[in-house]
Amino acid sequence: TVFYDGWILRFADGYTKRANSVCPIYYSTENVERKIEECEKMYAENRLPTVFKMTPFVHPSDLDAILEDRGYTLVDRTSVRTVQLGSFPEFDSAACSIEEAVSLQWIETFIRLNNIDSKHRGTIHRMLSNIRSKTGFASIYHKGEVVACGFGVIERGYIGLYDVVTEASHRNRGFGEQVIRSLLQWGRENGAGFSYLAVVANNAPALRLYEKLGYSEIYEYWYRVKRCE
């Protein structure tokens, strides 16, 4: 991670845009065009495309238009949603296993369910092992095999849900919802009163599920990616 005049630059060997992007979230003082060029140079030196994670709160406020003029394409518009956990009913999570430390077995399952290239195994393990807040890694079993997984991170009264995924052949059978409800119950048992998550805006099935669970949008973010010449 590099802190550059109010912008946070993250590098994670190319695994996910979120972990390999510029986050322009704090006040900026330098010339913006020069800063963008410097970011492009740093990402090129790391053999990565230059990606900006954009929110309605970026600095400077016209950065999105500036990036568009420089040939950056808008991709992956994402909805950030929250829900209060007080009204959630108790949930029978017997089919769900939650571990509070990431295991190699969980990572292998996560890679399999997401069809992730195994070359990212080491990066994923380092990223998840380095989380310092209380974390729960959930797995749902069906006929002795893990068919869905995800993880939650508890911080300052919130549990954030990440990477909830169900094996393709077992989708639309409620396994993803079981992961979510199990993690929310675990979070509440460990002091969380609220939950947040992020969902890509065109993922209609996930949006329906999160609306059913009471999540409501608080803001959107999106990415600006430099087009290849």
Side-chain angles (χ1 to χ4, degrees):
T1 301
V2 175
F3 186 73
Y4 174 28
D5 184 44
W7 293 2
I8 297 173
L9 284 63
R10 302 179 68 200
F11 303 86
D13 297 328
Y15 175 65
T16 78
K17 287 189 290 296
R18 184 171 58 212
N20 294 272
S21 58
V22 182
C23 299
I25 57 177
Y26 299 115
Y27 183 67
S28 180
T29 61
E30 295 186 13
N31 176 274
V32 65
E33 298 284 353
R34 187 164 58 244
K35 282 183 69 175
I36 293 170
E37 291 172 2
E38 186 64 25
C39 291
E40 292 173 347
K41 178 182 176 183
M42 280 191 271
Y43 280 92
E45 288 172 348
N46 284 273
R47 301 178 184 176
L48 294 170
T50 306
V51 178
F52 283 77
K53 181 183 176 184
M54 306 296 295
T55 74
F57 322 110
V58 297
H59 292 281
S61 59
D62 60 346
L63 179 59
D64 194 59
I66 293 171
L67 291 171
E68 186 171 30
D69 288 343
R70 289 179 65 95
Y72 281 75
T73 302
L74 189 156
V75 299
D76 293 350
R77 189 175 290 278
T78 300
S79 173
V80 177
R81 299 178 169 232
T82 63
V83 69
Q84 188 170 358
L85 300 183
S87 60
F88 267 81
E90 290 294 318
F91 177 68
D92 181 6
S93 57
C96 185
S97 167
I98 297 181
E99 304 171 312
E100 295 188 1
V102 66
S103 66
L104 292 177
Q105 181 181 359
W106 190 93
I107 289 174
E108 291 298 332
T109 299
F110 177 73
I111 288 173
R112 173 175 61 84
L113 297 184
N114 281 283
N115 294 313
I116 297 171
D117 193 317
S118 60
K119 71 179 182 180
H120 293 300
R121 181 184 293 106
T123 300
I124 294 169
H125 186 261
R126 289 196 302 275
M127 290 173 66
L128 298 182
S129 298
N130 284 333
I131 297 173
R132 289 295 173 258
S133 300
K134 192 175 186 67
T135 308
F137 297 90
S139 303
I140 289 287
Y141 289 82
H142 177 67
K143 296 182 179 179
E145 181 180 357
V146 178
V147 296
C149 69
F151 69 96
V153 181
I154 299 174
E155 185 177 13
R156 290 175 291 175
Y158 279 80
I159 176 169
L161 302 187
Y162 296 90
D163 292 320
V164 176
V165 60
T166 302
E167 189 171 35
S169 61
H170 288 81
R171 288 175 185 163
N172 301 312
R173 297 171 61 181
F175 292 116
E177 182 174 348
Q178 288 183 57
V179 170
I180 293 168
R181 289 187 180 276
S182 297
L183 282 171
L184 293 182
Q185 181 155 304
W186 172 84
R188 188 163 56 182
E189 291 169 354
N190 285 276
F194 300 86
S195 173
Y196 68 86
L197 51 79
V199 56
V200 177
N202 63 2
N203 188 343
L207 287 171
R208 286 194 297 270
L209 172 58
Y210 298 142
E211 288 171 0
K212 170 186 172 183
L213 294 172
Y215 283 88
S216 57
E217 183 175 283
I218 54 171
Y219 71 93
E220 284 191 330
Y221 70 82
W222 59 97
Y223 293 97
R224 285 284 181 179
V225 181
K226 186 65 180 286
R227 288 196 296 264
C228 296
E229 302 296 337

